[in-house]
Amino acid sequence: MHDEITQRKDQDSTPPLRLGGLNYAWIVAATGSIAMFCGLGLGRFAFGMLLPSMSSSLGLNYTQSGILGFTNLIGYLVAVLLSPLIIPRFGTRITGTASLLLIAVSMLGMAFTTSFPLLCALYVLTGIGSGGVVLPMMSVMSHWFFPSHRGLALGLVMAGPGFGIILSGFVVPKLLPISGLLSWQTGWLIFAVINVIVAWLTFTLIRNHPDDVNQNPFGRVPTSPVKNKKKLERSNVRLLVHLGVIFAIYGATYMVYVTFIVTSMVGSYQLSEATAGGIWAWIGLLSVFSGMLFGWISDHIGRRLGLALAFFFLAIAYLLVGLTDWTLGLYLSIILFGLVVWSVPVIMAASAGDYFGPAAAASALAALTFAFSGGQALGPVAAGYLAEITGDFSISYMLSGIAAFIAIGLALLLRPQKSA
């Protein structure tokens, strides 16, 4: 144990920023949120806003659009597989910083090409970078926060992607071709520059463990002993699979929504791209609060009931656009989805620390995220294929709603974690 602490301090010898009596845990959480703004908000969810103009200029059909989104998930899966080896060795600070720079390089490449195969290859790198940001930023909260505040802290971290959605919603429709670059290429160029700035901020402020700054984790000390085993126990494999199936359902259904809802607004609902962008920005604004809201709820009523409640609202959001063509139904769907979109990742990350202990949280979260990524990879491809047959995405949204109700049942079958 002493050697581990010494190694961590060697890695993070740079003195951190001091802000009076504020516990450094909140600095780490806030910085993680900014990193997630780039890693997910710009690295993945801005794609939904850029997709209509990319499809128009490149002549992509629904299937090709789904394939392009799928390539990002391939990269994400690679990052998930490598994370149990990389994070323990290099820590959150180095891993997160390097991943943000990788995203910047891949976006810079996309800004200067119109080749579909090359775009796919570069978007794989973006996916690797996104996974390299998400996993360490989420798992490190198990070191910095006790279970009493872990959900709230993770909610703060997951507020970051919402700001990415807001930025893309307002900026992308206003982009213009410059210096021979198409409007969507200009978007990738701007996002690349932002990623470089945030990479510097991440390296400056993130620390891997409270010991690095001589502080304790924030929150109420658990009354029962905290598991601190480095490896997952065999007895927990069934629980891990159970959680993984739930997370895979979320990955498949929410990815269908975020990838194609803007396309649906422009195509099925006949909204202008600017109007669709404004609505997309509202999803981002509402999502800023979703992680913190459901993180706080799950801190108080438990992860199991928190998951069930989250999937109930997701199911309604999916069915509103799957079973109706009302514009009012679309708006209600947007509101519900925005208020609950980051709930499941936050509760899953908190569950990894609660059920498996802080030391094994990264490995557990990597396994869960692998299942999540598998769902994300399959969802858009299947939805794109169904849209080619039916002409729109209504059946895909309807199936997503049914899957969300199945997830409610699976969540209620989980055993309650021990009280903190």
Side-chain angles (χ1 to χ4, degrees):
M1 181 66 180
H2 176 72
D3 292 340
E4 290 179 16
I5 295 175
T6 302
Q7 186 179 10
R8 282 198 301 265
K9 289 183 177 179
D10 289 342
Q11 292 175 346
D12 291 312
S13 57
T14 308
L17 180 69
R18 300 288 184 182
L19 292 179
L22 180 66
N23 191 296
Y24 203 78
W26 294 110
I27 303 297
V28 173
T31 307
S33 182
I34 298 171
M36 294 282 276
F37 158 77
C38 287
L40 276 185
L42 301 183
R44 178 170 301 173
F45 301 123
F47 174 74
M49 271 305 304
L50 291 168
L51 184 57
S53 59
M54 291 177 69
S55 298
S56 176
S57 62
L58 298 177
L60 304 181
N61 57 35
Y62 287 138
T63 301
Q64 288 175 310
S65 298
I67 290 172
L68 187 56
F70 177 75
T71 60
N72 182 267
L73 273 301
I74 292 175
Y76 199 89
L77 284 171
V78 171
V80 170
L81 291 172
L82 295 178
S83 63
L85 301 175
I86 293 176
I87 297 175
R89 181 170 182 178
F90 296 102
T92 295
R93 184 189 188 199
I94 299 299
T95 304
T97 301
S99 297
L100 287 165
L101 291 174
L102 178 61
I103 294 173
V105 170
S106 66
M107 288 180 171
L108 189 63
M110 287 190 287
F112 292 97
T113 184
T114 56
S115 166
F116 179 70
L118 186 54
L119 282 171
C120 288
L122 289 167
Y123 210 36
V124 169
L125 295 181
T126 307
I128 294 174
S130 294
V133 172
V134 173
L135 289 169
M137 295 302 164
M138 297 292 276
S139 62
V140 79
M141 295 302 126
S142 294
H143 290 292
W144 278 98
F145 291 88
F146 286 125
S148 64
H149 289 72
R150 189 172 292 156
L152 179 62
L154 285 162
L156 174 59
V157 172
M158 282 304 298
F163 288 107
I165 293 174
I166 293 171
L167 178 68
S168 64
F170 284 119
V171 171
V172 170
K174 296 179 175 61
L175 293 174
L176 298 172
I178 56 172
S179 301
L181 296 178
L182 300 170
S183 60
W184 58 268
Q185 292 175 304
T186 305
W188 288 126
L189 181 60
I190 293 171
F191 297 158
V193 173
I194 295 174
N195 269 272
V196 172
I197 296 171
V198 173
W200 170 81
L201 189 67
T202 298
F203 184 79
T204 302
L205 297 179
I206 285 287
R207 292 298 180 272
N208 299 329
H209 198 277
D211 292 334
D212 298 331
V213 290
N214 298 317
Q215 291 196 3
N216 296 316
F218 186 85
R220 295 188 298 275
V221 179
T223 55
S224 58
V226 177
K227 294 180 181 180
N228 204 32
K229 295 184 178 181
K230 295 181 182 179
K231 296 182 179 180
L232 298 174
E233 300 173 350
R234 287 186 178 181
S235 60
N236 286 328
V237 171
R238 182 177 297 179
L239 173 61
L240 196 62
V241 171
H242 192 154
L243 289 168
V245 171
I246 296 172
F247 212 9
I249 291 174
Y250 169 77
T253 58
Y254 111 101
M255 198 60 186
V256 168
Y257 196 97
V258 300
T259 301
F260 296 115
I261 192 62
V262 173
T263 302
S264 294
M265 284 189 277
V266 174
S268 300
Y269 290 89
Q270 300 297 308
L271 301 179
S272 68
E273 189 171 330
T275 301
I279 296 174
W280 177 250
W282 271 102
I283 292 180
L285 179 61
L286 294 170
S287 73
V288 168
F289 307 100
S290 68
M292 288 182 282
L293 173 62
F294 278 87
W296 178 83
I297 288 173
S298 72
D299 283 341
H300 287 78
I301 69 174
R303 313 303 180 201
R304 181 175 65 101
L305 295 178
L307 278 174
L309 184 63
F311 273 108
F312 174 77
F313 288 116
L314 283 172
I316 301 303
Y318 299 147
L319 292 176
L320 280 171
V321 289
L323 297 177
T324 73
D325 56 1
W326 301 337
T327 303
L328 178 59
L330 170 67
Y331 292 149
L332 291 174
S333 174
I334 294 294
I335 292 171
L336 284 175
F337 184 79
L339 286 174
V340 78
V341 58
W342 306 136
S343 57
V344 178
V346 165
I347 297 173
M348 280 295 175
S351 297
D354 292 355
Y355 283 118
F356 307 106
S363 297
L365 188 57
L368 293 173
T369 306
F370 184 81
F372 168 63
S373 301
Q376 289 185 102
L378 294 174
V381 174
Y385 176 75
L386 288 173
E388 286 289 334
I389 297 173
T390 63
D392 61 31
F393 295 95
S394 58
I395 291 181
S396 297
Y397 297 137
M398 183 177 64
L399 292 175
S400 294
I402 294 171
F405 275 113
I406 294 173
I408 294 173
L410 292 173
L412 293 175
L413 290 174
L414 287 169
R415 63 174 173 83
Q417 74 273 22
K418 293 181 179 179
S419 174

